[in-house]
Amino acid sequence: MSYENLKKLFFKLDPENAHKIAEYSLRFANAIYPGIFSFVANKFVVDDLSLKQNIFNKTYHNPIGIGGGFDKNATMMAGLSALGFGYLEYGTFTPKPQSGNAKPRLFRLIDEKSIQNAMGFNNEGAVKIKDRVSKIYPNALPLWANIGKNKLTPNENALSDYEILVREFDGLCDAFVINLSSPNTPNLRALQEVSFINELFLSLKNLTKTPIILKISPDLAHEKAIEICQSAVKSGASGIIISNTSIDYSLSKSSNLQNFGGLSGEVIKQKSREIFKAVADELFGKTILIACGGISDAKEAYERIKMGANLVQIFTAFIYEGYGICKNLNDEIIKLLKADGFSHISEAVGVNVGAKIDKTKQN
């Protein structure tokens, strides 16, 4: 069945129920049909030397990763690997299990190929996830652990939650992603301040040699984003993900728009691209930059690469474009590299740093 036909069926379901079906498929398909993941990988994995990079002392076979929030409990690693991703991120998870916010909390903005979510870090907690990940790590692909604080942990004690998770998962991931930028945990974004970020990264770097990455909000003023990213790098951050979801509801005209939760997908493409450019123009060459937000086609992924991203992440586009998206993106990026006269992705990374964004190409 083509994904367009499958999507018609999925989109008749509640979004969270549809995600659960997708999770079960990616989690159990190989047990039901032994060898199916090998068959899928042969079809969807792009193995081309022009895309391979050594980052954080690991080989990334292509630059496309799945963003945090899709596989919160690390149940889909094998299935996602077979679909051609270059690296995988599990989480966001917290020290203690939590159910997240009240339902409904996930909404499709179909005409805009976007999503609005107010999930609230629902996850099974560190103990269960650690047991699961310990059985699959090290993995064929680099794995990143996206970590956050529990909802009931006050901000003055937030550092302790992050320290607990880094201690518990040291040796079970190839990078940690610090989530301070979700809009769905009360007051979490208030931690995006220089003082806390300095304290956080200085503390965590004493607990692990694993790279630690900061993920920021697209709703920050550009000057503030630059300031906190510079502080994070100075205090030990190995990379920056730009960006998380947005609460700028003026970006959407959808009749299904809610007044809560974070927007992802094509509605935040311009906003995410612009804040990425602002940070990249200051920090390119000083840290690893990862682009996320509104990336749904190879042209946009390639633009972010030329703006300074070594890696990109998708999430919402995976839902709208389907299981072939990694192959499509990677095949097209290879063509774009060749069209620009590049033989390797490293030659394209950052070539447009400092260049003005062409406003006529925003959408």
Side-chain angles (χ1 to χ4, degrees):
M1 180 183 293
S2 72
Y3 186 72
E4 283 304 311
N5 288 331
L6 187 60
K7 186 167 69 173
K8 290 176 184 178
L9 297 176
F10 271 114
F11 278 22
K12 290 180 180 180
L13 302 174
D14 170 81
E16 208 165 336
N17 290 337
H19 185 86
K20 184 63 67 175
I21 292 172
E23 178 190 357
Y24 287 155
S25 299
L26 289 168
R27 184 175 183 179
F28 297 118
N30 208 54
I32 299 171
Y33 304 104
I36 193 171
F37 286 162
S38 295
F39 173 81
V40 170
N42 286 333
K43 185 174 182 179
F44 291 113
V45 171
V46 175
D47 187 17
D48 193 288
L49 287 174
S50 68
L51 296 180
K52 292 183 180 180
Q53 302 175 84
N54 186 281
I55 300 171
F56 306 140
N57 294 317
K58 296 288 180 179
T59 298
Y60 288 70
H61 289 267
N62 71 69
I64 311 300
I66 186 73
F70 189 86
D71 190 4
K72 291 177 179 291
N73 297 306
T75 60
M76 297 180 260
M77 298 284 103
L80 290 171
S81 296
L83 290 176
F85 286 96
Y87 63 103
L88 306 173
E89 185 174 325
Y90 62 92
T92 300
F93 62 95
T94 52
K96 298 176 182 178
Q98 57 184 35
S99 58
N101 296 324
K103 298 179 181 180
R105 57 193 181 182
L106 187 62
F107 308 90
R108 301 184 188 101
L109 313 181
I110 294 175
D111 290 343
E112 297 170 330
K113 290 188 175 182
S114 298
I115 284 175
Q116 188 169 20
N117 96 80
M119 303 300 286
F121 290 174
N122 55 305
N123 72 98
E124 295 177 351
V127 173
K128 282 191 176 181
I129 295 172
K130 181 178 180 180
D131 179 66
R132 188 172 294 128
V133 175
S134 66
K135 296 173 183 175
I136 63 172
Y137 188 85
N139 188 54
L141 301 182
L143 300 184
W144 295 4
N146 185 313
I147 59 176
K149 81 172 188 72
N150 278 111
K151 180 179 180 178
L152 296 181
T153 301
N155 276 9
E156 55 266 30
N157 296 332
L159 177 61
S160 177
D161 275 12
Y162 290 100
E163 289 175 334
I164 288 168
L165 293 173
V166 168
R167 287 192 186 98
E168 288 298 311
F169 285 80
D170 191 27
L172 292 176
C173 62
D174 298 298
F176 287 102
V177 177
I178 305 299
N179 193 341
L180 303 176
S181 50
S182 169
N184 300 319
T185 294
N187 300 316
L188 182 69
R189 286 188 169 188
L191 296 175
Q192 293 182 120
E193 295 292 342
V194 168
S195 58
F196 179 74
I197 285 172
N198 285 343
E199 181 183 15
L200 175 67
F201 279 90
L202 288 171
S203 175
L204 298 184
K205 290 302 288 186
N206 286 326
L207 301 178
T208 182
K209 297 186 182 300
T210 302
I212 308 174
I213 300 167
L214 175 66
K215 185 172 188 176
I216 67 168
S217 163
D219 299 322
L220 292 167
H222 290 182
E223 296 78 8
K224 177 70 172 292
I226 292 166
E227 180 186 28
I228 65 172
C229 289
Q230 287 175 329
S231 297
V233 172
K234 184 178 179 181
S235 300
S238 298
I240 307 291
I241 297 176
I242 312 158
S243 63
N244 210 321
T245 59
S246 174
I247 55 171
D248 182 355
Y249 303 138
S250 69
L251 298 173
S252 173
K253 306 301 181 186
S254 173
S255 60
N256 204 31
L257 181 71
Q258 311 297 311
N259 62 357
F260 59 94
L263 297 170
S264 64
E266 292 196 0
V267 292
I268 72 166
K269 176 168 65 176
Q270 178 175 332
K271 190 180 189 76
S272 182
R273 184 197 296 160
E274 290 181 350
I275 193 171
F276 181 90
K277 173 176 167 50
V279 174
D281 284 352
E282 295 294 329
L283 285 178
F284 176 71
K286 300 175 183 176
T287 192
I288 296 295
L289 300 174
I290 302 99
C292 184
I295 299 172
S296 59
D297 57 40
K299 180 182 177 182
E300 186 62 29
Y302 188 54
E303 284 301 312
R304 306 280 180 106
I305 288 167
K306 292 195 292 184
M307 292 167 65
N310 278 97
L311 301 169
V312 299
Q313 292 187 333
I314 61 171
F315 183 119
T316 306
F318 187 35
I319 295 167
Y320 281 94
E321 303 302 325
Y323 40 72
I325 188 170
C326 287
K327 178 174 172 54
N328 294 338
L329 289 176
N330 286 313
D331 282 344
E332 289 300 315
I333 289 172
I334 291 169
K335 292 178 183 178
L336 291 167
L337 288 169
K338 290 178 179 177
D340 281 345
F342 299 131
S343 60
H344 192 268
I345 189 173
S346 61
E347 299 171 60
V349 175
V351 295
N352 286 349
V353 167
K356 292 183 178 179
I357 292 179
D358 185 347
K359 295 291 184 179
T360 66
K361 296 180 180 180
Q362 288 297 329
N363 298 307

